[in-house]
Amino acid sequence: MRITGVIISTELSRFAAMRDFYVDVLGLQPRSQRPEFVNFELQDTRLTITTHSQVTGANRTPGRLLVNMAVEDIEAEFRRLSAAGARFVRTPEREKWGGTVATLEDPDGNYLQLFQLPEE
C-alpha cells in the first residue's frame, strides 16, 4: 500500500482563494482543473483542492494534519514564499535529526511543512 494523493477540501466561497494560493503563491502547475476542483501532480503524488458540502470556514485544528513538501533549498523557498505573501507559523529551523523544517499555512489555515533533508 502507498499514498497516491492528498485531498484538501474547502467550502465553495473559499475555493478561489485556496486555488490561487496553491497556484500563485506556491507556484504549483495544475494538472487538471474545473470549477470547484484543481489537481496538481507532484512526482508520484497528486494534491487536490476541491469543495465539500460538509466543510465550513477555516481549519480549527491546523496541526492535526501536515502536508510535507521536500525542498532542495529551504532558505531560498522561505524567502520566495514569504515575498509571494505566504504566512509562516514557523521559520526554518534545524531539527535534531539534521534536517531543516518550516511551516506555513494556506488560506483555510491548513499547515504545509517544508523540509530539507540533511546533507549526507
Side-chain angles (χ1 to χ4, degrees), residues 9-63:
S9 297
T10 191
E11 66 179 291
L12 179 59
S13 67
R14 301 172 72 87
F15 175 75
M18 289 286 283
R19 180 200 56 227
D20 293 350
F21 173 82
Y22 284 85
V23 173
D24 298 333
V25 176
L26 289 186
L28 302 181
Q29 298 299 311
R31 176 185 170 274
S32 63
Q33 57 183 324
R34 308 185 291 277
E36 304 176 35
F37 174 94
V38 62
N39 179 266
F40 308 97
E41 192 164 30
L42 307 167
Q43 295 180 353
D44 62 346
T45 303
R46 291 189 180 162
L47 174 65
T48 300
I49 311 299
T50 190
T51 62
H52 195 288
S53 62
Q54 295 179 352
V55 174
T56 58
N59 186 344
R60 292 175 211 31
T61 54

Side-chain angles (χ1 to χ4, degrees), residues 25-108:
V25 176
L26 289 186
L28 302 181
Q29 298 299 311
R31 176 185 170 274
S32 63
Q33 57 183 324
R34 308 185 291 277
E36 304 176 35
F37 174 94
V38 62
N39 179 266
F40 308 97
E41 192 164 30
L42 307 167
Q43 295 180 353
D44 62 346
T45 303
R46 291 189 180 162
L47 174 65
T48 300
I49 311 299
T50 190
T51 62
H52 195 288
S53 62
Q54 295 179 352
V55 174
T56 58
N59 186 344
R60 292 175 211 31
T61 54
R64 182 172 295 210
L65 177 70
L66 295 169
V67 177
N68 283 326
M69 305 176 95
V71 296
E72 294 294 320
D73 184 342
I74 198 165
E75 292 294 337
E77 284 299 311
F78 173 73
R79 288 189 301 275
R80 180 184 74 81
L81 292 170
S82 293
R87 181 178 176 280
F88 279 82
V89 297
R90 179 182 180 197
T91 58
E93 291 181 81
R94 184 162 307 271
E95 295 286 316
K96 290 179 184 176
W97 51 270
T100 305
V101 174
T103 307
L104 65 148
E105 63 180 7
D106 72 14
D108 269 9

